[in-house]
Amino acid sequence: MTTRRPFVRAAVPLVIGAVALGSLITWRTQIGDAALPEQQQATKVRGNVPGEWRYWGGDAWSTRYSSLDQINADNFNSLEQAWQWNAGTFGADEYYRTTPLYANGRLFTVASTRRVATAINPENGETLWMWRLDEGIRWQKAARQFAGRGLAYWNEGATERVIVVTPGYHMASLDAKTGLPDPNFGKDGIVDLMEGLDLPIVPLAVDDSGPLIISDAAPARRARPGETWDPVTKTGADGTVGIDPELGQIANSSPAIIVGDVIIVGSSSIHGYYPIRIRNIPGYIRGFDVRTGKQLWRFNLIPQPGEYGADTWKNGSKVGDEGVGKNDAWATYSADPELGLVYIPVGMPLMDEYGGHRPGDNLFGNSLVALDVKTGERKWHFQMVHHDIWDYDTPMAPNLMDVTIDGRARKIIAQPTKQGWLYVFDRATGEPIWPIEEQPVLQSDIPGEQTAATQPIPTKPEPYVQQGLEEEDLIDYTPAIRDSALKLAKRCRMGKYYIPAVLTDGSSPTGLSCSWYAPGAAGGVNIDGGASIDPETGMLYVASQSTLSTIALQKDPCSEFNYSSPRDNCGLLGALDPPPGYTPGETRGGGFAGRAAGSQIGGVSIMKPRELGGITAYDMKSGDKAWWIPNGGFIQTTSRDPLFAGVTLPPRSSAGQAQVITTKSLVIYGTGRSGGVPGQPPQLFAVDKATGKQVGAVDIPSKTTAVPMTFLHNGRQYIVFATGAGSSPSLVALRLPRR
Amino acid sequence: MRLFWSQFSTLCSRTVFTAATAAAVALLCQLVPTTAVSAQPGSTRVAPVATTDGVYTSMQARAGGDVYAGLCQSCHSAESHTGAPFRNNWVGKPLSALYSYISSEMPKTEPGSLTEEEYTLVLAYILRMNGMPAGRKALTADSAALDAITIVLPGTANKQ
């Protein structure tokens, strides 16, 4: 039910509506449609109008490539700030992880933990309209309470739609011109994504006024009959309905992707670091009619009994079975509109570091899955990590390319991953372009854990980050340095790759109390980084970080899991009662202390600095590495430790994951929120595509926090990127000065 | 290159400048008051205080909240640093211990990768999260000064 009344202030119509669970608000300025150019319907390339940025990844192929060349090596350093759009006026956020879209003369973005959808005038940064949904408890207990990565756009002639998926898991279809919900879509423009999953929908209630505590503490619960809302304590039942919290949580963090007339939307689960409950809601992919919001199909990312892959869950795969949960595809997606396929990078099963409750390979966890856009049928899949216990979610949309390899025209797909390899397939068939071989790996010695005997290792391209830790990886500038590094390295379990965790108390058979963890839980590639491609040259540029940390597990006394990284959930809402003899405080803190431990001597990492992380360019015609650069520069390494006296230490690559796009003539990147050289001003960089040589750098207000985008508006090329966090997230637009 | 005072003090302590500018920066560094850089142990004598005495500014806590939102929040909830976890791990210890822990262990992917100023801001934000009052004096990464500050929860000064 929607009621409408005009907003009394001049020239700003406001619509207030009440949907089943809350209210939605839309306003728009009267700048109107006439002020913005209605562009000709140009021929789309890879689903995008050249010069625009209609998909999160630039186009349906996630190339992050623009054919524009107005901004080039000759003028990059003269870029000026056109405007800065303050997303913080809509409310606080985590780090601002959004890449806006540009279509038909407007910019579209999301903002704030409420995931407000807005349109912006690209010329001056003026807000054209905004839309938000009050989701009550659904928002309060949302597992992904942030602005998210963006929106999806669709048009048919003059009919334009912006699709937003909210933190509380609703999907709205908005008129791109006005921000008003499309009355023909779902119910008053909104589809409740918690419906259509064959899971029970119940009235929700809360016993506290705070958010969900990482991972699943302080959840919502089913409301008691007749329960009402107490506005003073902000507890009770507020009329919101949702999937029974007994089953777990479901949320969203990345935009849907639209292929033809089908919206493909997935889900995000809880974070998997410190869960209490041994079962949670699986990940799903669904197709919806873009005009009506009708659900067309559903693909279960944890196959249910009778479905292909169900036998990879040896203790059962049913929703509610012990160990079953997650396998959520929380990253962005790619598609080939001509083949009619959408490519889903899938995250890992429940519990990041311990799989003892879910023996088996756990399909479709850590897989790349190709689905038929119209039917949702699986065309092919490839599981990149079997039975993951390293938090190696597939974190990023894969990149599609057409290249000639060994004289043969190939339609390929390349999947960058946290685990440091690029997996390359024929995107029609799923056949690997270069052999990917199952190799024996180290086995876990933690009770109950059954690690996969082998893992698939790509023979090509070579990895872009450090893999595991072996003797040859250690610094050896002098014999004394080598001995010290080896002594430190041997304190933790070493290996080539896929090193399983050990127990913190050293009680597992190896006797060690930590394992080396490289790449770590944040990659490799993660959502901050990923790859951009050049469709003209067949080059692929992958941004990653090369890190070394450690991992060790122990029992959380108040969790259902046998093991996790050190954590004590006792006392939290929803946690188990402490066991007899429990003493608080021994493992409290709950940080990542157990994961990031001593890998340094006198401030120097024991891992040799190598040309890893940063930005790696691959020639995908051959699979060979073409060049490498650090993310924003090198950091000089010095130490006062006498061990290094008289030794000139080589510089190391700066940290973090670069955020890369490609244009006609440039690779353009920001350093990301934790990248760059400490002490240097935040900058946006331009490098030569063929050599990696830096050809430009401009100061920006603060570091990029998401992948930038570029477009042509009224004859001028703009580069727009998100930056900031907390109270000060913003979009920054750069353009060349008028001549 | 734009250079704010805080960035400058970071430069002095981190030695990230190039050879061409090294001499000029080194000269300037000598002019920076010792409170802005890591002081030599014992070089400054600081009167003992508690975190309840207003040891950071509200501006610092606010800026620290943004650093926290950007680099910490995606892995941590406030619950990790308040209430029982904070009491059990940190109360009664010098603030330098908490600073050392954060600056050597966090963020997990690249421990030690923030600037001294950023770590100090996050520390101010954590103090505010735990109800410690802001004051007029800014918190610095000076180890002697941090050593002299004892972590005390508000309203518990006599219950150590």
Side-chain angles (χ1 to χ4, degrees), chain A residues 38-42 49 52 54 104:
Chain A
E38 291 292 337
Q39 298 184 355
Q40 295 290 322
Q41 277 303 308
V49 175
E52 302 199 352
R54 291 191 172 201
N104 201 21

Side-chain angles (χ1 to χ4, degrees), chain A residues 294-350:
Chain A
K294 181 176 176 250
Q295 183 169 320
L296 304 173
W297 51 262
R298 182 177 100 210
F299 183 80
N300 300 322
L301 290 174
I302 294 183
Q304 293 303 287
E307 294 176 355
Y308 177 92
D311 57 351
T312 64
W313 295 78
K314 290 181 183 167
N315 282 0
S317 66
K318 280 205 306 293
V319 179
D321 279 352
E322 176 179 326
V324 170
K326 295 192 64 174
N327 269 10
D328 49 324
W330 51 260
T332 47
Y333 308 151
S334 305
D336 184 331
E338 283 182 18
L339 290 177
L341 295 178
V342 62
Y343 300 97
I344 311 293
V346 187
M348 71 173 301
L350 179 60

Side-chain angles (χ1 to χ4, degrees), chain A residues 31-97:
Chain A
I31 177 169
D33 316 322
L36 294 168
E38 291 292 337
Q39 298 184 355
Q40 295 290 322
Q41 277 303 308
T43 310
K44 287 178 185 171
V45 178
R46 301 180 291 271
N48 181 49
V49 175
E52 302 199 352
W53 196 277
R54 291 191 172 201
Y55 286 80
W56 181 89
D59 51 32
W61 289 21
S62 297
T63 61
R64 303 192 200 166
Y65 169 84
S66 171
S67 55
L68 298 173
D69 196 32
Q70 192 179 87
I71 296 167
N72 54 50
D74 293 335
N75 58 27
F76 190 86
N77 283 349
S78 62
L79 279 172
E80 293 179 347
Q81 185 171 308
W83 45 263
Q84 186 165 10
W85 184 80
N86 182 4
T89 55
F90 296 98
D93 199 0
E94 268 190 29
Y95 71 94
Y96 194 24
R97 61 191 77 193

Side-chain angles (χ1 to χ4, degrees), chain A residues 180-524:
Chain A
L180 292 170
D182 175 0
N184 299 317
F185 185 89
K187 190 180 176 191
D188 299 323
I190 296 169
V191 168
D192 184 345
L193 291 172
M194 287 199 183
E195 294 176 356
L197 294 172
D198 298 326
L199 300 175
I201 304 286
V202 300
L204 300 176
V206 287
D207 293 319
D208 72 324
S209 60
L212 195 70
I213 295 170
I214 292 170
S215 297
D216 59 352
R221 61 168 169 80
R222 197 185 310 185
R224 290 182 282 270
E227 189 172 3
T228 57
W229 183 250
D230 181 339
V232 178
T233 59
K234 295 179 177 163
T235 58
D238 69 349
T240 307
V241 297
I243 294 171
D244 190 344
E246 275 296 303
L247 294 172
Q249 289 76 27
I250 191 163
N252 169 271
S253 50
S254 290
I257 189 167
I258 302 174
V259 187
D261 299 336
V262 181
I263 306 170
I264 297 100
V265 61
S267 59
S268 298
S269 300
I270 55 165
H271 290 288
Y273 325 135
Y274 309 121
I276 295 165
R277 303 292 308 278
I278 214 162
R279 35 183 73 77
N280 212 300
I281 299 173
Y284 299 98
I285 304 295
R286 282 179 284 174
F288 292 86
D289 185 309
V290 74
R291 292 183 184 80
T292 64
K294 181 176 176 250
Q295 183 169 320
L296 304 173
W297 51 262
R298 182 177 100 210
F299 183 80
N300 300 322
L301 290 174
I302 294 183
Q304 293 303 287
E307 294 176 355
Y308 177 92
D311 57 351
T312 64
W313 295 78
K314 290 181 183 167
N315 282 0
S317 66
K318 280 205 306 293
V319 179
D321 279 352
E322 176 179 326
V324 170
K326 295 192 64 174
N327 269 10
D328 49 324
W330 51 260
T332 47
Y333 308 151
S334 305
D336 184 331
E338 283 182 18
L339 290 177
L341 295 178
V342 62
Y343 300 97
I344 311 293
V346 187
M348 71 173 301
L350 179 60
M351 181 51 191
D352 288 355
E353 304 117 344
Y354 181 69
H357 304 283
R358 50 170 166 85
D361 278 353
N362 308 134
L363 283 178
F364 290 91
N366 311 76
S367 301
L368 179 58
V369 180
L371 299 178
D372 184 299
V373 167
K374 288 204 162 67
T375 64
E377 280 171 28
R378 179 179 56 89
K379 186 74 186 271
W380 58 265
H381 81 280
F382 189 93
Q383 188 177 48
M384 295 167 282
V385 185
H386 308 312
H387 187 78
D388 185 9
I389 49 168
W390 298 273
D391 195 5
Y392 287 158
D393 291 313
T394 320
M396 180 53 79
N399 309 101
L400 278 55
M401 307 175 78
D402 285 350
V403 287
T404 301
I405 300 169
D406 296 331
R408 187 175 156 206
R410 303 298 299 263
K411 289 177 179 296
I412 69 168
I413 184 168
Q415 178 65 62
T417 59
K418 282 188 178 180
Q419 60 267 30
W421 275 287
L422 198 63
Y423 299 75
V424 189
F425 308 95
D426 180 310
R427 68 173 180 269
T429 65
E431 172 202 350
I433 295 294
W434 295 287
I436 301 176
E437 294 167 350
E438 292 286 339
Q439 300 285 357
V441 289
L442 293 174
Q443 295 298 293
S444 174
D445 62 0
I446 290 183
E449 184 62 89
Q450 298 173 47
T451 20
T454 62
Q455 294 288 356
I457 307 294
T459 55
K460 219 177 188 185
E462 62 183 273
Y464 41 81
V465 300
Q466 174 73 26
Q467 289 290 342
L469 191 71
E470 298 183 293
E471 283 195 35
E472 67 243 37
D473 301 321
L474 301 173
I475 51 173
D476 53 3
Y477 310 123
T478 67
I481 291 171
R482 190 187 172 285
D483 289 349
S484 299
L486 189 57
K487 194 176 161 201
L488 183 58
K490 282 185 165 170
R491 288 175 50 222
C492 302
R493 194 167 183 190
M494 299 173 71
K496 200 173 180 183
Y497 36 56
Y498 294 106
I499 309 168
V502 295
L503 294 180
T504 52
D505 61 5
S507 64
S508 40
T510 56
L512 297 166
S513 55
C514 53
S515 294
W516 292 108
Y517 194 10

Side-chain angles (χ1 to χ4, degrees), chain A residues 609-677:
Chain A
R610 288 190 170 128
E611 293 193 346
L612 295 169
I615 300 172
T616 304
Y618 294 104
D619 183 344
M620 298 306 287
K621 301 185 293 297
S622 62
D624 293 333
K625 191 165 159 176
W627 51 257
W628 173 88
I629 55 170
N631 177 19
F634 285 102
I635 300 173
Q636 292 301 323
T637 307
T638 56
S639 178
R640 290 184 188 139
D641 193 302
L643 183 64
F644 299 103
V647 176
T648 307
L649 295 166
R652 63 196 156 94
S653 171
S654 46
Q657 294 168 344
Q659 298 174 318
V660 183
I661 62 170
T662 309
T663 67
K664 186 88 181 169
S665 60
L666 297 172
V667 166
I668 296 169
Y669 76 95
T671 61
R673 60 200 163 112
S674 52
V677 177

Side-chain angles (χ1 to χ4, degrees), chain A residues 99-103 106-110 118-120 129 151 153 162 176:
Chain A
T99 300
L101 305 181
Y102 175 90
R106 296 180 193 83
L107 266 177
F108 303 100
T109 194
V110 280
T118 73
I120 298 169
W129 54 255
L151 298 157
Y153 173 88
V162 167

